[in-house]
Every structure is written in C-alpha cells, then in structure tokens.
Amino acid sequence: MTNFAKSLEKHIYRSALTESQLAKISGFNRSYIALIKNGQRIPADMEKVRKLIGALNLSPYEHDALWKEYLKARYGEENFELQRQM
C-alpha cells in the first residue's frame, strides 16, 4: 500500500464523509474510491483527485502533503524528486 493510500484512508476517516459522498464530490464512483483507499488503484485524472482531496477539509499543510504523496504514487519517488529539483 502506498503512503498516498494510507494517508487518504486516514483523512477520509477523519472527515466523516462516506465513500458515496466523496464519489458525488469528486466524480469517481464509490467502488473506485475504495480501490484507491486500499492501494489497489492510483487515479490518472488529476482534476478528480484535486476534488477528492479538496472535499476532505484539510489544513493547507495536510492538503499539500497528501497531494505530494499522490504525485509520488503516480509518478514514482525518483521521478517526483527529479521533477521537484528542476
């Protein structure tokens, strides 16, 4: 399981939103959110991921940290670090 999946699961739990509510907000379906949360999928649609993260009512720091975890999971740790250094 990726750090993104672990963090997302924690933040979803703390938000008290259901997967169905998050599905309506983000545009993902509920079962796909479960797959993301369980580390079985890494979504390619960045706009939907932004909506999903935005719905969790996170602090700016938590939001940025979760977004970085998503990018690391999507592109790989090495590619993320290379891109960040450019």
Side-chain angles (χ1 to χ4, degrees):
M1 183 181 292
T2 65
N3 286 338
F4 171 66
K6 291 176 190 173
S7 296
L8 181 64
E9 183 176 29
K10 175 184 77 172
H11 290 303
I12 288 173
Y13 177 76
R14 286 189 357 201
S15 75
L17 293 171
T18 66
E19 289 174 3
S20 295
Q21 291 169 323
L22 288 171
K24 287 180 185 177
I25 293 166
S26 68
F28 290 120
N29 64 44
R30 188 210 54 80
S31 60
Y32 193 76
I33 290 175
L35 292 173
I36 297 167
K37 193 173 80 170
N38 293 325
Q40 296 173 338
R41 296 286 187 276
I42 300 171
D45 190 332
M46 296 175 96
E47 193 56 40
K48 287 183 178 180
V49 174
R50 286 185 195 277
K51 289 179 183 178
L52 178 65
I53 292 173
L56 298 175
N57 199 20
L58 304 175
S59 72
Y61 174 78
E62 291 171 323
H63 183 280
D64 290 347
L66 188 56
W67 182 251
K68 286 177 186 173
E69 291 300 332
Y70 164 69
L71 293 175
K72 287 177 186 177
R74 180 163 182 215
Y75 297 114
E77 187 84 30
E78 284 185 24
N79 289 334
F80 174 79
E81 288 301 321
L82 285 172
Q83 185 70 24
R84 194 175 67 82
Q85 292 174 6
M86 294 178 126

